[in-house]
Each structure stands twice: as C-alpha cells, then as structure tokens.
C-alpha cells in the first residue's frame, strides 16, 4: 500500500498526509458486493437520456471497484417503458430510470419531479433540488409509492415539437391529436387538444400512420434520431410545458433504506453527476443537430404570445383547482412557485443581460 | 451483513441482487486511510464559495466512511489566499480550492479555467468541462504546474460590481482603480482602468480607504456579506468578464496519480456534486439579497451597449495577440470559442424564448 502513496509529501512535505491501518470490520459493512437491475423508460438509441443511466452505473461501479453493479435494461426487456415506476414499487427490480411525470395519472403531484408547464428552468430546478429542499420534499410524496427518488439527468428547455399544420392561435389546438409528455397534456386538453403519452419508441409509427397529428419529444438531437422531421414539417419552440425536464432514478424504498450509508452517499453523488452530464451532452449536440434539421427542410416556428398566454392561463387555473383538493400537490406547487418567483426576478439582472449581449454578438457574427 | 440487504428482493423478486464474499486484498488497495490538507483562497464567511469545499470534503468522507479526510484551511492559516496554487505545486499541501484565473500572471491560459470576458455561461461551461473535453484540455496545461484540476463550484453570471461614480461610457474607465478578478483586469486595462486583484478579505478596507474606486466580487449574496454597499453606491450589471466563474480543486499531480482508482472516481464525483451545489446555493439566495441591497440604497445600473462593445473589441484583440505567441492559450481559446459559438446559437431558440416568456410574466406579476 505504501508504494501507492505520494512519498514526497509524506517525507518532505510533512503535510498531514497519513496512512493508517485498515479497519476490516467496518469495511465489511460498508462495501458489500451488490447487483441491481435498473429498468429504463427510454430507448437505448438515445445516448443522451439512456446515456445518463449508463454514466450513473459506471460512476457507482468505478467508486466501488466494481463491487456495486447496476445493470440497465431497455423498455420491454423486463417491463414496458411506462411501467418502470410500478416495477420498482413492487420490487420486481431494485431501481428504474424514468420521468416522474409519466405517472401523473396516478397523482398529478408526480408532475413536479420532471416538469410542469411554466415551471422552472434547468438551473432553477437544480437549485430547488440540491439547496431548496426539493429532493426531500418530493420524497415525502414518493414514499407513498414505496420508492426513493433522485435527480437523473435534465434536458434543459425543450422544443415545442413537430406539427403537420401550423399553430397560429390557441384555437389551432382544438382537436389536435398530440403526443406530449407529462402534465402538459392536461393543460393542452383544456384548449381542446387530444393528448396522448406514447413512449419514445412508439411515436414515429403513430405519426407516420396519422394516428397523431403532432409530437413533442425533447429537442433537436434526440428528435433527429427518432426521425420526426420526416413525417412533420413545422418545428415549434419553446416547449412551454418543459422549460426543463428532469429525470429520476427511483429506488425501491426498502432497498434504499437497507443500503450501507457509504453506498447511499455514493448513489447520491453518482446521481448528481449523471444529472449534470446529461445536460452537458445535450448542450454539446443540439446546435449542430438543429442546423442539420433546418438544412433538411424543417421549418422553425415560434408560438405566438397570444397562444402561450392562453396556455399560461389554463395551466394556472388547473394548478389552483387541483391544489384545492390535493394537499400533496398544493405543498409542492407552492414550493416550486417560490423558487420560480425569486429566480425569474434575479435571472433578469445578471444572467439574462449577459446572455442577451452574447446572443446579440452571435447574430452579428461576432462569435 | 445479510440483515442490511433487502430480503424481499433477494427472495421474492429474484431480481439479480446478490451478496458475494468480500475480497479483502482488493479492498486494502482500494480504500486506505488518507488525510489531505486543502488550502482555500476564499474567506470562511462565504458559505457559497467556501461552502463548496466543505460540500466536497463531506461528500468524499461520506462515500468512504470517513477513511478519506480532507481538512480545509482558510487563507493565511497555511499560505495566503493567492498562493494556494503554488502550495499545491510545491507539495506544501495536497490540494487547494481556488480560482485558476488568479494565476493568469504566470500564464494567461490560466484564465480559461475560471472565466474570460465574453466567454461562456454556467451551462456552457459545464458542457465544455464534462462532455466537451474541457477537463482534459485544461489538465494538459495544468500539468506544467504539477497539479491536476477539477471543477469546484460555479457562481453563475456575476454582477459588474460597486462603483463610487457612474460608468456611462468607455471613457469613464480611464484611471479607475478597480479590484477585479482574473483576466477581466487585462481587458479593462486596455480602456485605461487600473486593475488590482485583492483577495476577498482585503477588498472592503481598500475601498473604504479610497485605495480603490470600485470593486467587483461576485453577486448580491456574497457582496452584501462583504459590505460593499456601505462604501460604494452604484451596483452595475452584468459582469461582462464573468458570464460564469468556475472554481477549481487543484491536487498535487504526483499525489493524484498515486491515488487508488476508486478514490480518483470518488474525488471526481464529489467535485462534480460540489460544482452543482455551489451554483444552487447562489440561486437560492441572490434574489432576496438583491432586494435587501436595493432597499438599503444600492442603485442598480446597467453598462451601456457602447461600453460593453468597446470591452468586447478590446477583449477580442487581446485574445488574438496572445494567441499569436502562446500556443497553449490559442488551443484553449479556440476550444472555448467553438462551445461559445454553438451554444449561443442554440440557446437563442428554446432556452431564451422560454426564459423570456417567464420573465415577461415576472414583470407582469404573473408568477
């Protein structure tokens, strides 16, 4: 062991570095060999989303010299993509990688863990989770489903999706059959749309066959891989229902509680790292993908302020109605609103003015 | 050990969870008891910046059941704040928490690791570091100083600082004695300012005595603690020299290379987590601090586009001049520029349009 320690610091530096004997009994408790199965809600082809679970599993393995192994399974290998949470609740698998908002049909409170329309952006979601009590607050709710949840990747602000026909006013949502993730569907239904929540691998076929008229998934890099540009022409922004979207690792609560504390700390740090890496991966890829899409014929469109205003109004009414009868929802909504109010105030000062200047230089060709 | 594992999953679930015997010799290599000393460049009073080093040390300790201990020392306890890097190079301590740009006088390439004027924002810096090869690229340079560096917290976009007199045009920088961190000083000097780089604990006194006319530090929460609002009235934004500012943990290179691979993985993940937490802590605090400062008499001002344009021109000329004679600087500058060009293009679409709508609602009182 001595050969692996920096001799120079030990001898010359006298810098407090010390090598003590190993406490074998403590180690036996701290690092048992463990294998978990993780079922994913996302197609393996998406190195961004699916990749976050791989980063997580590798980080855990690297930190434990391979003693803690997490094997990841694609949707359908163990359970279908949208049954990932149930498989963890039931103990079919130890953990899953999914979006909590897929389960808003069970309880709309699930929506906050991923994204709600007109919610936070990526920075703010991290602020809430890591320093605003968000992880604990959400887990107070998740424990009803016998799972413990941690952040597991964030897409950043999403695009508004692919449409066969233009959306020029709120009226154009009427009768629109759209695949939309999470709670955005509940809001858009108030404007007359017909939302569905197909998993990633099934969307293209539905759009091609005309079973749906439009689809939102994530953004340029993922959307290009799934091929939506081939079956719908208009590419809208922003996805007002997903100013960010955070994924979750859910772990069976009993399994989590049984983990040695060192392993809990390792899982938490690996999850935090995977959460960062997923956003970084998108940010490295989206610009080039968007250029390719536009070159290939995609037509960029932005929703009108009139349209977004109508959606904002519908969303706020819906939140208030649910809050009146669902105390869990109300508690999490109020917490989110405080982060939102404070941060969209502050971000207008240094962040937005700095970014705006740089975007002006971008348009000038100065970058 | 069996008592700490989820029996239900082992028996009923058959979910691949297994408990194997412990490989004691491998463990002995993997988790020796280690104590490191970390010297910080930052005052203990700043729970944001100094706090990031505490989060890092605690995360490492928690993941190793206390076998890997990192003790943090305030500036002056071992070496002065701006000699942190040298102390690591020399092996006086194993590691430090500092800003790489403090050392741009040794080589301007050090600036990129923290921030350069008109560089990236926080999201983009993370993209570069974690998925754009930034960590490896910077370490190719840092190894000349016998250190290994990892991200260690990010402030986000900073404020432009506190001024006794208003800055209305580029001419107002002439003769201005300003404390400014890092490479911003080299740019602002081109406009006639007289920059200095006092460490955090010495700035207030210098401003009070009139030894300097202005100071930039970070943003509302830290600035309020250091009391600058009591000695200068005008609070400018944005800090065009710090659209983000990332700190570093520097570890003596020989010490890093001697670490077991599991400990290297643990240090990397703990650093990544601390990097996230520091930004989250600022984002939870800055809005309220800014409100208090404005209520207490601080007058918010924004730099004119004419002023920022002059600084952008000076910065670009300086980068080109240094690039012509410093290959390290040129290599890192070109890499940063590519991230910058791609991301400020992409961020204009979904991110900025989503944030802009929410800021409009903020001004309407809708949040």
């Amino acid at each position: 062991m001595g050969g692996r320690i920096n001799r120079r610091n030990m001898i010359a530096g006298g810098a407090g570095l010390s090598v003590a004997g190993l406490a074998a009994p403590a180690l036996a408790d701290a690092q048992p060999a463990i294998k978990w199965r993780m079922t994913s809600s996302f197609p393996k082809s998406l190195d961004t989303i699916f990749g976050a679970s791989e980063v997580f599993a590798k980080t855990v393995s690297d930190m434990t010299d391979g003693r803690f192994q997490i094997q990841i399974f694609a949707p359908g290998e163990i359970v279908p993509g949208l049954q990932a949470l149930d498989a963890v609740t039931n103990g079919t698998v130890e953990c899953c990688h999914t979006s909590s908002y897929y389960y808003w049909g069970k309880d709309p409170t699930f929506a906050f863990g991923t994204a709600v329309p007109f919610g936070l952006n990526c920075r703010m979601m991290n602020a809430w989770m890591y320093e605003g009590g968000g992880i604990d607050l959400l887990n107070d709710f998740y424990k009803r489903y016998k799972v413990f949840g941690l952040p597991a990747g964030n897409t950043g602000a999403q695009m508004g999706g692919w449409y066969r026909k233009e959306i020029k006013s709120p009226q154009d949502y009427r009768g629109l059959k759209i695949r939309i993730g999470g709670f955005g569907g509940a809001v858009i239904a108030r404007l007359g749309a017909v939302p569905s929540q197909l998993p990633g691998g099934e969307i293209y076929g539905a759009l091609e066959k005309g079973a749906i008229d439009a689809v939102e998934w994530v953004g340029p890099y993922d959307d290009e891989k799934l091929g939506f540009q081939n079956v719908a022409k208009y590419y809208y922004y922003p996805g007002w229902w997903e100013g960010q979207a955070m994924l979750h690792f859910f772990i069976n609560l009993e399994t989590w509680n049984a983990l040695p504390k060192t392993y809990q700390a390792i899982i938490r740090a690996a999850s935090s790292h995977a959460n960062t890496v997923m956003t970084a991966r998108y940010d490295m890829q989206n610009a080039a993908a968007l250029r390719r899409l536009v070159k290939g014929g995609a037509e960029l469109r932005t929703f009108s302020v009139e349209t977004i205003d109508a959606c904002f109004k519908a969303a706020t009414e819906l939140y208030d109605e649910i809050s009146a009868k669902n105390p869990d929802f109300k508690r999490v909504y109020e917490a989110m609103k405080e982060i939102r109010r404070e941060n969209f105030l502050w971000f207008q000062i240094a962040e937005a003015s700095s970014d705006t200047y740089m975007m002006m230089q971008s348009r000038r060709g100065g970058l």
Side-chain angles (χ1 to χ4, degrees), chain A residues 152-203:
Chain A
N154 197 310
T155 63
Q158 298 197 4
M159 293 291 283
W162 300 85
Y163 298 74
R164 286 234 174 81
K165 290 179 186 165
E166 290 182 85
I167 303 292
K168 294 185 173 173
S169 75
Q171 288 73 37
D172 292 329
Y173 277 130
R174 282 189 200 146
L176 185 82
K177 288 175 286 178
I178 179 171
R179 185 277 171 194
I180 180 168
F183 208 53
V187 172
I188 212 167
R190 297 209 154 203
L191 284 92
V194 185
S196 64
Q197 189 172 255
L198 297 167
E202 299 172 24
I203 303 169

Side-chain angles (χ1 to χ4, degrees), chain A residues 184-222:
Chain A
V187 172
I188 212 167
R190 297 209 154 203
L191 284 92
V194 185
S196 64
Q197 189 172 255
L198 297 167
E202 299 172 24
I203 303 169
Y204 184 92
L207 194 60
E208 194 181 28
K209 282 184 292 189
I212 53 176
D213 306 310
V215 54
E216 75 81 30
W217 176 248
V218 176
Y221 183 66
D222 286 350

Side-chain angles (χ1 to χ4, degrees), chain A residues 70-233:
Chain A
I70 298 166
Q71 189 180 1
I72 308 157
F73 294 86
E77 291 184 357
I78 299 175
V79 294
L82 300 187
Q83 292 174 27
L85 175 73
D86 306 80
V88 178
T89 296
N90 301 335
T92 306
V93 292
E94 289 82 5
C95 58
C96 73
H97 189 217
T98 191
S99 302
S100 63
Y101 74 8
Y102 286 160
Y103 311 98
W104 71 266
K106 296 179 191 289
D107 185 320
T109 312
F110 272 110
F112 293 104
T114 310
V116 293
F118 307 104
L120 308 176
N121 70 17
C122 179
R123 271 271 294 274
M124 299 172 196
M125 190 68 173
N126 286 340
W128 188 22
M129 291 298 113
Y130 293 106
E131 284 289 310
I135 290 174
D136 289 345
L137 183 68
L138 292 178
N139 277 304
D140 268 352
F141 167 72
Y142 295 148
K143 70 184 178 194
R144 300 178 195 273
Y145 296 83
K146 298 178 186 164
V147 297
F148 176 78
L150 286 170
N154 197 310
T155 63
Q158 298 197 4
M159 293 291 283
W162 300 85
Y163 298 74
R164 286 234 174 81
K165 290 179 186 165
E166 290 182 85
I167 303 292
K168 294 185 173 173
S169 75
Q171 288 73 37
D172 292 329
Y173 277 130
R174 282 189 200 146
L176 185 82
K177 288 175 286 178
I178 179 171
R179 185 277 171 194
I180 180 168
F183 208 53
V187 172
I188 212 167
R190 297 209 154 203
L191 284 92
V194 185
S196 64
Q197 189 172 255
L198 297 167
E202 299 172 24
I203 303 169
Y204 184 92
L207 194 60
E208 194 181 28
K209 282 184 292 189
I212 53 176
D213 306 310
V215 54
E216 75 81 30
W217 176 248
V218 176
Y221 183 66
D222 286 350
D223 291 3
E224 181 188 32
K225 280 197 173 180
L226 296 183
F228 303 139
Q229 69 278 13
N230 301 319
V231 277
K233 176 173 161 188

Side-chain angles (χ1 to χ4, degrees), chain A residues 30-53:
Chain A
Q31 296 225 321
I34 288 184
K35 281 190 186 172
W36 279 3
R37 298 198 303 174
M38 170 179 279
T39 187
S40 174
S41 295
F42 311 109
K44 274 192 177 170
S45 60
L46 301 179
D47 62 322
T48 41
I49 306 194
F50 192 86
S53 62

Side-chain angles (χ1 to χ4, degrees), chain A residues 26-34 36 68 254-267:
Chain A
L27 280 176
D29 276 341
Q31 296 225 321
I34 288 184
W36 279 3
F68 194 157
E254 198 183 334
T255 304
W256 171 255
N257 287 333
L259 270 188
K261 284 202 188 315
T262 54
Y263 276 1
Q264 288 186 346
I266 280 169
I267 290 279

